Amino acid sequence: MESLLNLPVDGDASIRILQITDTHLFAGKEETLLGIKTWESYQAVLAAIHEQQRPCDLIVATGDLAQDHSPEAYQHFASGIASMAAPCVWLPGNHDFQPAMYSALQEAGISPAKQVTAGDKWQIVLLDSQVFGVPHGELSEYQLEWLERKLSESPHRHTLLLLHHHPLPAGCSWLDQHSLRNAPALDEVLSRFPRVTNLLCGHIHQELDLDWNGRRILATPSTCVQFKPHCANFTLDTIAPGWRWLELHPDGTLTTEVCRLTSAQFRPDIASEGY
């Protein structure tokens, strides 16, 4: 498994995290997904983040960074992240092609680390739930064993756990077919580690905040297309692209806020029936 990234944190300061997810970039900057030019919406999100001028210690990118498997798509992602001062870590989504993803992001200086320590109170652990070639997710035995080992090594730390696929139903039956298939196996591991109280996902292109056996599961809007909540069949939403801020506090609590673009510039082709 990849290297450890250590974030320097002053005393009892909170750790400020920016989540960007599901950018679905292409090699060509004019390419569209369901009627939205994903490079343009990504650029608009980055511009809005810069306008907020919020301090940030870490950027987490939770998968589906590329739509077409191309190295150029990951280079486009990296060029956007380069405008930020904070380090970035990432995990793959179901649309990502890991060989191109790993190479392009590492060449751009983006860390492949899947464990981040922040001071002596917190760690962020990133899991790979990709099953290549299919939309649903699953954690391999290796991933589960690695997770248990990392949690056992730092039982005193609060842990924010990141993965692409959602482990609980989101309330969209068409999307919930593509959730994390072995969520009970993850639950069984986490049941032994009470300091893992927050999980952060991408994948579902909508905001979500659920309780899972005492743990909080958060999902975050995409920087491009949004899926309408609580729909049985594939349905696009006209709500604007977004991102999420999180603050990890020394006492183990977490506060968070979802932000969205204020313009209605990025509206999908709502007649689309899938992708």
Side-chain angles (χ1 to χ4, degrees):
M1 191 62 85
E2 289 86 355
S3 61
L4 169 72
L5 176 66
N6 182 50
L7 288 181
V9 176
D10 293 333
D12 281 342
S14 296
I15 300 111
R16 300 154 303 189
I17 296 175
L18 167 66
Q19 183 194 12
I20 293 175
T21 196
D22 297 273
T23 52
H24 289 274
L25 297 167
F26 296 85
K29 293 180 179 179
E30 298 298 312
E31 294 281 344
T32 62
L33 177 68
L34 300 166
I36 289 180
K37 292 182 180 179
T38 59
W39 184 81
E40 290 187 3
S41 63
Y42 176 50
Q43 293 300 305
V45 164
L46 292 174
I49 290 167
H50 282 297
E51 285 175 14
Q52 290 183 306
Q53 297 185 329
R54 289 173 70 154
C56 180
D57 300 304
L58 180 71
I59 302 163
V60 297
T62 46
D64 282 359
L65 305 188
Q67 177 67 17
D68 64 357
H69 291 185
S70 69
E72 294 84 359
Y74 296 111
Q75 290 162 8
H76 294 328
F77 176 82
S79 67
I81 291 300
S83 68
M84 306 282 189
C88 177
V89 291
W90 56 271
L91 53 79
N94 51 291
H95 286 278
D96 285 310
F97 182 57
Q98 291 202 51
M101 188 181 203
Y102 186 96
S103 297
L105 296 182
Q106 190 167 45
E107 284 171 14
I110 294 178
S111 174
K114 297 296 178 273
Q115 181 187 17
V116 181
T117 56
D120 60 0
K121 300 284 176 63
W122 276 93
Q123 67 177 348
I124 297 101
V125 176
L126 297 89
L127 295 176
D128 177 357
S129 58
Q130 185 193 71
V131 182
F132 188 73
V134 297
H136 72 256
E138 189 165 337
L139 294 170
S140 67
E141 282 298 317
Y142 175 81
Q143 285 282 303
L144 291 167
E145 289 168 4
W146 178 82
L147 171 64
E148 184 156 15
R149 188 164 69 251
K150 293 302 167 187
L151 296 177
S152 297
E153 287 170 359
S154 301
H156 64 287
R157 289 185 185 274
H158 302 289
T159 300
L160 174 64
L161 190 63
L162 275 58
L163 67 165
H164 181 68
H165 294 85
H166 55 306
L168 268 192
C172 289
S173 50
W174 73 273
L175 262 177
D176 290 334
Q177 301 173 72
H178 309 318
S179 63
L180 185 72
R181 288 284 173 91
N182 60 340
L186 176 59
D187 181 48
E188 199 273 329
V189 171
L190 296 183
S191 68
R192 297 191 289 280
F193 299 96
R195 293 202 167 201
V196 186
T197 53
N198 296 281
L199 288 79
L200 184 61
C201 310
H203 188 50
I204 62 172
H205 292 230
Q206 59 189 248
E207 183 179 353
L208 191 72
D209 191 339
L210 295 176
D211 178 85
W212 185 33
N213 296 334
R215 306 174 206 104
R216 189 179 187 186
I217 295 180
L218 300 165
T220 298
S222 163
T223 63
C224 56
V225 175
Q226 311 305 307
F227 298 147
K228 194 166 188 176
H230 310 298
C231 292
N233 300 313
F234 179 89
T235 311
L236 297 179
D237 205 341
T238 56
I239 195 168
W243 60 97
R244 183 184 288 276
W245 291 102
L246 305 101
E247 283 199 42
L248 312 181
H249 304 293
D251 63 356
T253 60
L254 174 152
T255 53
T256 186
E257 178 188 5
V258 167
C259 301
R260 294 183 186 269
L261 297 178
T262 54
S263 77
Q265 177 184 355
F266 299 103
R267 296 179 70 86
D269 175 4
I270 57 171
S272 302
E273 295 181 352
Y275 76 109

